[in-house]
Amino acid sequence: MAKKMNVESFNLDHTKVQAPYVRLVGVTTGQHGDKVYKYDVRFCQPNKAHMDMPGLHSIEHLMAENIRNHIDNILDIGPMGCQTGFYLQILNNDSYDAIIDALDKTLHDVLDATEVPACNEVQCGWAANHSLDGAKQIATNMLEHKDQWHIVFAE
Ligand code: ZN
C-alpha cells in the first residue's frame, strides 16, 4: 500500500485476513495513564461475505446490552459500515483472553435471547429493521469458529 493512512484499518490488507477473528487494533493512552483498547471483531470474510442489515442490527443491540454483564469498562461495540464486523473498545483492560471470554458468553446470550432489547421506536433509530433469527445465525457462525478467533492472517 502506497500511502500510510490515518485510519489503522485502512492500512490493513483485507485480502490477507482470515475471518472470523478478534484483533487488537491499537491502544490509546490518555494523559492520566488510562488506556483504551480497540479491537476489530471480524465476523465475515471481507469482500466474500457480510451480515445482512436486520440481523446485524439485532446482534448489535444484543451484544451492546449483554456484553456489559460479562466484563466491565466496555466503551462501545459498534458495527463496521462494510457489515463484516464490529469495533469493540474497552477501558483499562489489557486482557485479550478476557475479551474472548466475554464475547463467547455474549454470543451465547444471543442464542438464548427471546427478543431484541430496545427494539422499539423510543429506544432505537430504525426499530422496523431487526431480525432475531438473523442475529442468532450470525452468532452461531461466529461461535462455530471460536478456535480460530486468535488467528488474524491466513498462512
Ligand atoms: Zn437500533
Side-chain angles (χ1 to χ4, degrees), residues 56-124:
L56 168 60
H57 189 184
S58 293
I59 203 170
E60 178 214 353
H61 277 227
L62 285 157
M63 290 197 301
E65 182 63 17
N66 286 295
I67 197 168
R68 290 170 165 90
N69 293 331
H70 301 303
I71 193 165
D72 292 331
N73 290 349
I74 291 286
L75 299 179
D76 187 40
I77 179 161
M80 299 172 181
C82 58
Q83 298 171 228
T84 66
F86 286 79
Y87 284 115
L88 184 160
Q89 298 185 75
I90 188 165
L91 180 69
N92 292 336
N93 186 332
D94 67 355
S95 171
Y96 180 86
D97 289 346
I99 297 293
I100 295 296
D101 184 57
L103 283 169
D104 180 48
K105 288 174 175 160
T106 301
L107 291 169
H108 280 97
D109 292 338
V110 174
L111 298 184
D112 293 341
T114 55
E115 61 178 15
V116 178
C119 175
N120 60 72
E121 293 190 5
V122 173
Q123 294 175 289
C124 172

